């Protein structure tokens, strides 16, 4: 693993332990699939190729194809001499796909917003595809659970089973021959589709079927919105400073008054379910958090000195007991101010010399 990481000079923030093994496994799967079913493609397109590693691995096997994504990655520079990776904003709802002429195989490897569109694009190109769904999106936004029935292959998978069934319904409505498989990869999302053209071809009225699928999913004035080239930071770190300060103090005061528990003379407060803490927030506070990935839970976890989140319940961190663990795990932590020193009515229970944060 270290040798491969060094070879690739992994520059992404994502974990190579996961992505390198996973993409190696998917590349092997595709090669065997092509070798045993209808031959290698003349040109594949990896839709939403991300770090581009899968395209790089296939290109090293002399398999012709490209990777497209709305945003280039730093690591692409390492693959340029082998892999054809292109920064392209696609409009999958358009009859004109924008993909190179001769494309005869589409790959959707954790392709997110593009996932439900890939069978539609494949139908317009009259080509085969491989689709490994991950994050649940429908044609125009986040997927919401529909009904309670799942195809047998995806039973007992909760919301993801519903999503897998939804994608399966699109593929079958378009008339593809479809096979379902379960990959042996280091991921919880391992179920995939392999779509191929039936012996007599796709239905003659394929464009009508596509429009039916789109119109069934489309609300008023809704259209496909691609990801932004520059990813927005929405982990609560960019909330206004006053809001962060006031919200932290509000939750802290609420928890402190739930219990008389003490460690020595230092009050620890109690714990409360996350769903009940949400009820204490104002509409404006909820709206600010709703615009962030993870919402209130992410916000609370970001205040890592102050709070703990365990089994859906939030509590004040028992600082007399946990300060030492913080100090042993984190370097240069004293650059940050001690929240308890400034805000707890009993102050910080740890001396200035021993506290993991700055007094």
């Amino acid at each position: 693993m270290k040798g491969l990481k060094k070879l690739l000079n992994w520059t992404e923030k994502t974990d190579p332990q996961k992505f390198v093994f996973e993409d190696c496994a998917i590349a092997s799967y595709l090669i065997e699939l092509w070798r045993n079913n209808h031959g290698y493609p003349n040109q594949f397109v990896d839709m939403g190729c991300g770090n581009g590693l899968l395209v790089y691995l296939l290109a090293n096997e002399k398999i012709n194809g490209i990777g497209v994504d709305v945003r280039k990655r730093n690591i692409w520079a390492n693959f340029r001499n082998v892999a054809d990776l292109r920064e392209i904003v696609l409009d999958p709802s358009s009859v004109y796909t924008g993909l190179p002429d001769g494309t005869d195989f589409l790959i959707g490897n954790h392709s997110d917003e593009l996932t439900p569109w890939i069978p539609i694009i494949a139908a317009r190109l009259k080509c085969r595809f491989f689709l490994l769904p991950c994050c649940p999106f429908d044609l125009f936004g986040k997927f919401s659970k529909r009904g309670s029935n799942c195809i047998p292959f995806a039973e007992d998978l909760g919301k993801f089973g519903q999503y897998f069934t939804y994608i399966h319904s699109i593929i079958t409505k378009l008339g593809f021959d479809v096979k379902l498989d379960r990959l042996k990869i280091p991921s919880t999302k391992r179920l995939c589709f392999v779509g191929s053209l039936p012996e007599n071809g796709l239905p003659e009225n394929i464009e009508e079927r596509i429009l039916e699928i789109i119109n069934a999913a489309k609300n008023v004035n809704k259209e496909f919105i691609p990801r932004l080239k520059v990813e927005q930071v929405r982990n609560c770190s960019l909330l206004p400073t006053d809001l962060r300060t006031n919200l932290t103090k509000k939750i802290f005061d609420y928890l402190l008054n739930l219990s008389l528990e003490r460690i020595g003379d230092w009050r620890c407060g109690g714990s409360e379910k996350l769903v009940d803490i949400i009820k204490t927030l104002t509409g404006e506070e909820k709206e600010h958090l709703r615009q962030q990935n993870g919402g209130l839970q992410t916000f609370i976890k970001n205040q890592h000195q102050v709070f703990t989140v365990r089994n859906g319940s939030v509590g004040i961190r028992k600082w007399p007991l946990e300060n030492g663990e913080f100090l042993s795990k984190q370097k240069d932590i004293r650059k940050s101010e001690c929240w308890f020193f400034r805000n707890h009515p009993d102050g910080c229970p740890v001396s200035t010399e021993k506290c993991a944060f700055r007094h």
Side-chain angles (χ1 to χ4, degrees), residues 64-129:
N64 188 46
I66 69 170
V68 299
D69 203 288
V70 70
R71 179 173 55 87
K72 67 180 179 181
R73 308 301 199 271
N74 293 330
I75 201 169
W76 284 13
N78 299 347
F79 301 154
R80 285 291 187 191
N81 61 335
V82 176
D84 186 349
L85 303 170
R86 307 181 188 182
E87 186 180 58
I88 298 175
V89 179
L90 296 173
D91 179 4
S93 62
S94 173
V95 175
Y96 305 100
T97 65
L99 299 179
D101 293 339
T103 298
D104 59 349
F105 197 97
L106 300 183
I107 297 172
N109 172 22
H110 295 186
S111 44
D112 295 346
E113 293 95 335
L114 289 173
T115 296
W117 288 100
I118 286 175
I120 292 174
I121 298 171
R124 283 175 166 155
L125 292 173
K126 295 181 173 53
C127 74
R128 300 174 289 154
F129 64 88

Side-chain angles (χ1 to χ4, degrees), residues 278-322:
I278 291 174
K279 296 175 184 176
T280 69
L281 306 184
T282 66
E284 183 181 0
E285 290 166 341
K286 290 177 183 177
E287 183 58 32
H288 276 291
L289 291 171
R290 195 174 290 120
Q291 297 172 13
Q292 306 297 309
N293 290 334
L296 180 61
Q297 179 164 290
T298 296
F299 174 81
I300 288 175
K301 286 184 175 180
N302 284 353
Q303 320 312 313
H304 56 283
Q305 187 199 6
V306 188
F307 303 116
T308 61
V309 181
R310 295 188 178 97
N311 299 320
S313 292
V314 182
I316 297 171
R317 193 174 292 281
K318 292 179 169 54
W319 198 237
L321 305 179
E322 298 187 52

Side-chain angles (χ1 to χ4, degrees), residues 4 11 23-24 34 55 73 84 109 133 137 144 157 162 172 257 259 270 296 300 308 333:
L4 185 55
T11 57
D23 284 356
C24 284
W34 291 327
V55 180
R73 308 301 199 271
D84 186 349
N109 172 22
F137 287 88
S144 57
L157 292 178
Q162 293 288 324
T172 54
N257 292 319
S259 171
L296 180 61
I300 288 175
T308 61
I333 200 168

Side-chain angles (χ1 to χ4, degrees), residues 329-348:
K329 286 185 177 180
Q330 303 190 42
K331 297 179 181 179
D332 300 325
I333 200 168
R334 284 198 174 95
K335 290 181 179 179
S336 302
E337 288 189 338
C338 176
W339 196 90
F340 294 123
F341 180 75
R342 291 193 172 275
N343 297 282
H344 196 294
D346 300 329
C348 179

